Amino acid sequence: MSTETTTAGGPGGVPGTSVPPKGLRAGVLDLGDSVMLGLASTAPVYSLAATLGLIVEVNGDHTPLILLLGFIPVLFIAYAFRELNSAIPDCGTTFTWSRRAFGPWAGWLGGWGVALAGIVVLANLAQVAGQYLWLLVSDGSLAENKVLVTATGVLFIAVMTLVNYRGIRLGEHVQRVLTYVQYISLGIFALAIVVGIVSGSARGDTTIQSFNFEWFNPVGAFADPGAVVHGVLLALFIYWGWDTCLAVNEETENPSTTPGRGAVISAFVLVAIYVSVALLVMMYATVGTDGIGLGNEANQDDVFRAMKDVVLGPWGWLIVVAVLASVLSSTQTTILPTARGTLSMGVHGALPAKFGEVHAKNQTPGFSTQVMGAAAISYYVAMSLLSENLLSDSISAISLFIAFYYALTGYACFWYFRKTLRQSARNLWFRGILPLVGALLLTAAFFISAVQMWDPAYGDTQIFGVGGAFISGVLLLALGVVLAVACRFLPATRGYFTGKAPAGQTTSSLPK
């Protein structure tokens, strides 16, 4: 059983903060495990396959620069996560930190943002996992069977929920295998591309595109500022997920330092992977609109799938396995932060106490994990039955949820540490300026993305003359406000909002 953790003031001079014991298995993960979870949760192979073509469509040759620009606000927020975790290593992350900085309402909505992004993206991951599994069978035509794909996706969510329920160590073992599979496969794919580039010509109907430093020229990229903003918003999605290693902070060695280091390291590793692989793919396939060109509309949903046979020949199925492993890996790690977030909300009284229960033997958030799995399955099935186009648009709205809770975390960091910023240059930059700038950039991204989604031509659906992505995004965020109001008056949770602990709960777990 874990014991109550009290952090020291640290370099920022912030008083130590007590973290209520939850019963999680403490100290089971090390720095390597933390970094692995951060990388796995982003599903880097799938993220590149599904997003690279879309960024090329908007930004062309400047795609590598866009990937770097999209990394800037992510890095700044990673520092905010690291600094807040050093003071309050609670698995509730954004929920706990926002509550400490701004009060119970901000905390509750921050927790909702984390859970919402996780539930919606699980629907997308389940669908992709179902499709890719059946692509490996026979001629791949079974991947077009909607019922079969949906049933397979539901099964994958259920299995990964069970893995998380059974224990963090089991999950880590599963994660390690999936990580090896996807990175070895991606490595073989990248090596084959390098060989093709070195040989001087690509197979098929394309020729090698030579590297050009102009791809990183901001002057050329910003000739169309709107395209830069659009591309950065797309890049924001592919970086999302590294914060999973913060959600398992109470199960990590040195919880106030190791998870924060893991978050920053995984963020840097991700940008290195994305930019290097993007450069190789651009040089090999080019950004043209013919054949395997990244600008070909037929390839934009999955550039790796379009390239696999040209690059790997009869071994093309390896990249399908890599994407499948990437999606399954992300499915498992996405359940981790959502379950631990609601666990913390239950412990602190923001949700009914049942959410705060930890399985005595497995030392995992038993009830919260089951609820998150069930919620993801219900959402996926409902959207699949209602409209696959609406499901696609609701997934597009994830950028709103990510920008919302990442920005809230940045503001919380600046405000929580505001009295210590003048104590050192380190505090000023890493607890003040960088988190605040990251939060402001993401706030701008939120509103720009919302305006784009308002356009009825955006996405695959429109509702009342407005883009379906905007409607679904706003409705889901608004649902959080409705649920927060309900919890404000629910006997089991109103003490969280009023500062009066309900029966059986101490005031130490309430906002200070």
Side-chain angles (χ1 to χ4, degrees):
M1 298 288 285
S2 64
T3 57
E4 185 165 331
T5 301
T6 302
T7 61
V14 176
T17 304
S18 295
V19 176
K22 301 180 181 67
L24 296 170
R25 188 177 179 185
V28 70
L29 303 175
D30 58 21
L31 179 60
D33 297 328
S34 185
V35 172
M36 183 186 65
L37 288 174
L39 292 175
S41 191
T42 61
V45 179
Y46 166 64
S47 295
L48 270 175
T51 310
L52 187 57
L54 297 175
I55 298 178
V56 167
E57 179 189 17
V58 178
N59 300 101
D61 287 334
H62 293 102
T63 292
L65 175 63
I66 297 302
L67 292 174
L68 289 175
L69 293 176
F71 175 67
I72 292 174
V74 170
L75 177 62
F76 291 175
I77 297 302
Y79 285 128
F81 270 81
R82 184 188 69 179
E83 296 302 313
L84 285 166
N85 182 77
S86 69
I88 315 172
D90 189 290
C91 67
T93 60
T94 297
F95 155 72
T96 305
W97 303 331
S98 300
R99 178 178 67 89
R100 294 280 182 162
F102 302 124
W105 289 94
W108 208 102
L109 293 175
W112 171 249
V114 175
L116 183 59
I119 290 170
V120 174
V121 82
L122 278 170
N124 172 241
L125 295 171
Q127 186 176 46
V128 174
Q131 291 173 337
Y132 269 77
L133 176 66
W134 295 110
L135 280 173
L136 294 171
V137 178
S138 187
D139 62 352
S141 61
L142 290 174
E144 304 300 323
N145 188 313
K146 178 180 176 180
V147 174
L148 183 61
V149 167
T150 301
T152 305
V154 167
L155 179 61
F156 279 139
I157 295 178
V159 170
M160 291 307 177
T161 300
L162 178 61
V163 168
N164 286 316
Y165 178 83
R166 291 297 300 273
I168 187 69
R169 179 51 73 188
L170 173 61
E172 188 271 334
H173 289 327
V174 171
Q175 201 55 241
R176 193 172 295 277
V177 172
L178 291 172
T179 299
Y180 287 157
V181 169
Q182 65 175 305
Y183 280 105
I184 290 174
S185 300
L186 180 63
I188 294 172
F189 182 68
L191 181 61
I193 290 178
V194 170
V195 171
I197 292 174
V198 171
S199 68
S201 64
R203 288 179 292 177
D205 55 359
T206 60
T207 57
I208 296 300
Q209 183 175 4
S210 299
F211 175 84
N212 193 331
F213 282 104
E214 280 298 310
W215 297 347
F216 294 92
N217 184 358
V219 176
F222 279 90
D224 185 352
V228 172
V229 172
H230 190 180
V232 168
L233 287 172
L234 289 170
L236 175 63
F237 173 74
I238 70 175
Y239 286 112
W240 172 60
W242 50 264
D243 49 307
T244 291
C245 55
L246 277 302
V248 293
N249 48 17
E250 296 183 53
E251 296 151 280
T252 306
E253 297 174 352
N254 304 313
S256 62
T257 56
T258 299
R261 290 174 59 196
V264 174
I265 291 172
S266 60
F268 275 108
V269 172
L270 280 171
V271 72
I273 291 172
Y274 287 150
V275 174
S276 59
V277 173
L279 284 172
L280 289 175
V281 171
M282 282 178 58
M283 293 172 66
Y284 188 91
T286 78
V287 296
T289 57
D290 298 323
I292 63 171
L294 302 182
N296 188 336
E297 290 186 5
N299 303 337
Q300 286 171 2
D301 288 341
D302 189 339
V303 296
F304 288 175
R305 184 177 172 185
M307 295 175 62
K308 64 182 180 67
D309 294 329
V310 175
V311 176
L312 296 172
W315 294 90
W317 56 269
L318 272 177
I319 201 63
V320 177
V321 170
V323 174
L324 177 59
S326 179
V327 171
L328 290 177
S329 178
S330 185
T331 300
Q332 192 239 316
T333 51
T334 298
I335 297 171
L336 286 174
T338 54
R340 279 151 182 77
T342 51
L343 167 73
S344 184
M345 293 177 77
V347 169
H348 289 282
L351 288 176
K354 186 72 174 176
F355 283 88
E357 293 182 359
V358 169
H359 192 282
K361 179 181 178 182
N362 299 333
Q363 294 181 272
T364 59
F367 181 74
S368 287
T369 299
Q370 292 173 328
V371 169
M372 289 303 104
I377 289 174
S378 298
Y379 181 80
Y380 174 43
V381 172
M383 288 294 99
S384 296
L385 293 175
L386 185 61
S387 169
E388 286 194 355
N389 289 337
L390 188 57
L391 172 63
S392 175
D393 280 347
S394 69
I395 291 168
S396 298
I398 290 176
S399 62
L400 296 179
F401 314 146
I402 300 169
F404 170 73
Y405 87 82
Y406 272 9
L408 182 59
T409 304
Y411 290 127
C413 182
F414 174 82
W415 192 250
Y416 184 79
F417 292 113
R418 66 191 184 282
K419 295 181 180 179
T420 70
L421 299 182
R422 296 183 180 180
Q423 293 180 358
S424 68
R426 179 195 181 282
N427 284 0
L428 178 63
W429 281 99
F430 291 105
R431 294 182 167 184
I433 294 175
L434 297 183
L436 181 60
V437 171
L440 291 171
L441 290 173
L442 289 169
T443 300
F446 178 93
F447 286 105
I448 292 172
S449 185
V451 169
Q452 292 177 343
M453 291 178 185
W454 178 273
D455 186 345
Y458 186 98
D460 299 317
T461 62
Q462 57 176 288
I463 303 172
F464 303 121
V466 178
F470 178 87
I471 295 296
S472 59
V474 169
L475 284 178
L476 289 171
L477 283 173
L479 178 60
V481 177
V482 174
L483 293 174
V485 171
C487 287
R488 166 61 180 82
F489 295 100
L490 192 68
T493 53
R494 64 187 175 197
Y496 164 80
F497 293 92
T498 63
K500 297 178 180 178
Q505 186 179 27
T506 64
T507 56
S508 64
S509 65
L510 295 175
K512 297 181 180 179

